[in-house]
Amino acid sequence: LREAEKAREELRARAAEAEGERERALEALRKEEARAAQAERDLEAERKAGAEAYEAYEGLVQELREAEKAREELRARAAEAEGERERALEALRKEEARAAQAERDLEAERKAGAEAYEAYEGLVQELREAEKA
């Protein structure tokens, strides 16, 4: 009976020890599960942040493409405007040359008119002198 009692006490002690070990294992399991759940939440937050960062990156890429397109359009418009400016300057040079030629022609006509008038005056003077004589 004493031996059975002793064996029963040993079994109770081993059972209590096993229960303590079980409790420690369950506590470690709960901690590990909490850590795993936190890691999953962190991973999901990182995935979401990564997706948002990628969306922002894609938005910036699109903005850059649009800015490049606008810059190319502006370059084309500037080149077109430069061509228009050159054509306008050429037309202006031609018009100025025409105006200068017209001024020279007008001066030549004025001079010829003055010479013709002087000749007329000379003839009138000769006629008067001839009439007097």
Side-chain angles (χ1 to χ4, degrees):
L1 185 64
R2 283 188 194 134
E3 286 178 17
E5 189 64 36
K6 185 177 176 186
R8 197 169 62 178
E9 286 301 317
E10 285 177 10
L11 287 173
R12 278 191 192 134
R14 282 175 43 199
E17 187 179 313
E19 181 62 24
E21 189 63 34
R22 180 181 159 276
E23 288 297 322
R24 287 188 295 280
L26 285 174
E27 182 60 26
L29 178 61
R30 281 191 291 274
K31 286 180 180 177
E32 194 53 42
E33 286 175 344
R35 215 178 352 243
Q38 185 61 48
E40 281 184 35
R41 289 190 297 275
D42 292 348
L43 182 62
E44 179 58 23
E46 285 297 318
R47 186 203 62 75
K48 187 175 180 182
E52 290 171 355
Y54 186 75
E55 283 181 31
Y57 165 79
E58 284 294 315
L60 290 173
V61 166
Q62 184 62 31
E63 283 183 37
L64 179 61
R65 286 184 185 132
E66 290 171 4
E68 280 293 324
K69 184 178 176 182
R71 188 168 65 180
E72 288 305 315
E73 288 173 2
L74 288 172
R75 279 188 183 140
R77 284 174 46 199
E80 186 179 314
E82 181 62 23
E84 189 64 35
R85 178 183 157 275
E86 288 297 322
R87 288 187 294 279
L89 285 173
E90 184 60 27
L92 178 61
R93 281 190 289 273
K94 287 179 179 177
E95 192 55 40
E96 287 174 344
R98 248 191 313 267
Q101 185 61 49
E103 281 184 31
R104 287 190 299 273
D105 292 348
L106 182 62
E107 179 58 25
E109 286 295 320
R110 187 203 59 77
K111 189 175 179 183
E115 289 173 355
Y117 185 75
E118 281 181 28
Y120 165 78
E121 285 291 320
L123 290 174
V124 167
Q125 185 63 34
E126 283 182 31
L127 182 60
R128 286 189 188 136
E129 289 174 2
E131 285 178 355
K132 283 184 186 175

